[in-house]
Amino acid sequence: MKILDLHCDTLLKGQSFAGNDGHVDLDRLPSGARYCQCFAIFINDDLRGQAAADQAETYYRHFLRNMEQLPDRIRQCRTTGEVEAAFREDRSAAILTIENGAALGGKMDNLERMAGYGVKIITLTWNAENEIGGGSQSEVGLKPFGREIIRRMEELKVAVDVSHLNDKTFWEVAKFTRKPILATHSNSRAVCPHARNLTDDQLRAIVQTGGIVGLNYYVHFLREDGEVTCYDGMLRHIDHLLNVGGEGFLALGSDFDGCTTPAFLSSTKDLEPFYDCIGRHFGKPLADRIFYDNAAAFLKHFD
């Protein structure tokens, strides 16, 4: 079984990626699994400018410490070829990302540096407004600096993540970008009417760019009441997303270590039964696409 998860907040916890009590734990991976995790440098909306950029550096150093302390278990990867090489070495793969473009502190130089660190995806905003544009709890659209950042991201082979954008910014980004875009951790608004989920028109717009969507495990993005007691609450989203976007559209974007997940998806140890469930309902080839192949194919655009 191969796994590629587009989003987690494990860096926030400041602990080892192995032998911890969080969601993402290399020690609790299913036996024989080949695991690639995107680790997000998260910036809260109360930080802006140099303070945000400094916080990003702190999380980057923590990421590097894990790579140095667990060299036989996990390696940083910048391309899909490096991910596959890590698997052949019986190591997990780590891809560095950013959640909230405030991490750039409003400076293009910081984007250049973060790309040099190996950042491959940037979620443009969190919930509020930042120097790039408006998040889901704001009303502003894409700003001039945001347009400059997106153009340079495309040149640097850093993917644009539209999770957390408000509708106005989403559509401005979708019309402005030239490369495929993705939503690393968002679900269907038609199934669960939360502002952080995506409308069918937005999902189709992502498909038209050649992009993908990562299924978010947060209980309140799966159901309004948050009562997700069985796989049915997730299968409804999967079925709808597949119907709208097709078999090459859906991936995983757990939001592990950043949200409340269903009890049956409490950590990496639960990924094998989840894979088996999708295989029973949709067939093993589609389970393979959702768990790894679709995300890997998307990331090849940015190798």
Side-chain angles (χ1 to χ4, degrees), residues 162 165-171 174 181 187 189 195-208 213 244 249:
V162 298
L165 296 181
N166 62 32
D167 291 352
K168 177 179 174 61
T169 309
F170 173 93
W171 287 112
I181 61 176
N187 296 339
R189 202 180 299 179
R196 267 282 288 107
N197 288 337
L198 297 166
T199 69
D200 286 358
D201 284 344
Q202 290 173 326
L203 296 171
R204 293 186 191 101
I206 294 172
V207 171
Q208 288 172 3
V213 167
V244 173
F249 177 60

Side-chain angles (χ1 to χ4, degrees), residues 124-125 130-134 139-150 160 165-166 168-177:
L124 297 181
T125 71
N130 66 16
E131 297 92 342
I132 292 171
E139 297 180 357
V140 304
L142 184 63
K143 298 180 179 180
F145 179 70
R147 290 180 171 84
E148 294 175 14
I149 283 291
I150 288 171
V160 171
L165 296 181
N166 62 32
K168 177 179 174 61
T169 309
F170 173 93
W171 287 112
E172 291 175 350
V173 169
K175 293 174 183 176
F176 184 73
T177 50

Side-chain angles (χ1 to χ4, degrees), residues 11 39 59-67 76 94 96:
L11 290 176
F39 290 92
Y59 286 134
Y60 174 61
R61 289 193 295 272
H62 173 56
F63 176 82
L64 287 183
R65 281 196 298 273
N66 267 282
M67 298 304 104
Q76 182 180 2
L96 190 62

Side-chain angles (χ1 to χ4, degrees), residues 21-56:
D21 60 358
H23 291 152
V24 173
D25 180 7
L26 299 181
D27 286 353
R28 285 179 281 164
L29 280 172
S31 177
R34 297 291 185 254
Y35 180 57
C36 177
Q37 179 64 59
C38 294
F39 290 92
I41 292 172
F42 170 72
I43 302 299
N44 200 291
D45 279 329
D46 61 357
L47 292 178
R48 290 292 181 268
Q50 191 58 47
D54 289 345
Q55 184 65 70

